Amino acid sequence: MAFTFRSFSLALALSLAASVAAAQQKIAFGDLNQDTTLPVEVQADQLTVNNADGNAVFSGNVIVTQGEMKLAAGEVRVTYGADRKSIDSLVASGGVTVTNLGDAAEAREALYTIDSGVIVLTGDVLLTQGPSAMSGQKLTINLKDGTGVMEGRVTTTFRPGGN
């Protein structure tokens, strides 16, 4: 079951009280179950394709959308499946922002594995959900159930009692 934003604040407060030294924190992301079978649209200033290794590199103001999820980055490397038609994964770099229904996560890099619906953001990660914020070094988001785990010296700022 995915957390709602209200339960996020309560769960976060209880979790922090129970274990201040915890190295990871479960969170909710986007309050929806993302359909990872939806089409992936990519916009960029430039596209370079390497047919020999099945990769494509989108660069310059890259925006990737899939349903309600949006990923923006300086560069996105796409690895295609064996059929050369499906997308296996996206590797984003150059300052990455992922948004989903008002929640936003920023990081240096991100890996999105399409089939599993998992995005792993690394490097100075900042997650904002309304007035609340959480930072760490790694955020793993499961788009299929709308949950995530923040790891690496997690710092949280939240405003209890409101959305």
Side-chain angles (χ1 to χ4, degrees):
M1 179 173 92
F3 285 98
T4 63
F5 182 74
R6 288 181 186 157
S7 65
F8 165 72
S9 293
L10 177 59
L12 182 58
L14 292 174
S15 174
L16 288 175
S19 178
V20 175
Q24 65 180 358
Q25 177 65 46
K26 286 194 172 208
I27 53 102
F29 188 76
D31 196 27
L32 91 154
N33 295 341
Q34 170 77 15
D35 182 356
T36 59
T37 64
L38 291 173
V40 176
E41 179 182 298
V42 183
Q43 299 176 11
D45 293 337
Q46 182 176 332
L47 168 62
T48 305
V49 178
N50 184 338
N51 287 324
D53 66 7
N55 289 316
V57 177
F58 292 88
S59 56
N61 302 307
V62 183
I63 299 173
V64 179
T65 56
Q66 184 181 40
E68 297 292 331
M69 191 268 303
K70 183 177 185 180
L71 181 148
E75 179 179 287
V76 174
R77 179 177 304 277
V78 178
T79 302
Y80 291 98
D83 61 3
R84 305 285 181 166
K85 294 178 184 176
S86 63
I87 298 173
D88 279 344
S89 63
L90 304 173
V91 177
S93 59
V96 179
T97 302
V98 178
T99 58
N100 199 7
L101 293 178
D103 291 352
E106 299 175 12
R108 290 184 187 167
E109 298 179 337
L111 168 63
Y112 177 23
T113 307
I114 305 294
D115 283 343
S116 68
V118 173
I119 300 176
V120 179
L121 294 103
T122 55
D124 300 324
V125 180
L126 174 63
L127 171 67
T128 56
Q129 296 179 302
S132 300
M134 181 183 296
S135 64
Q137 289 305 307
K138 179 180 176 184
L139 173 60
T140 303
I141 301 169
N142 183 328
L143 293 173
K144 290 185 177 181
D145 66 10
T147 63
V149 176
M150 180 75 79
E151 300 176 74
R153 192 64 186 159
V154 178
T155 302
T156 305
T157 303
F158 65 98
R159 303 205 188 277
N163 290 3

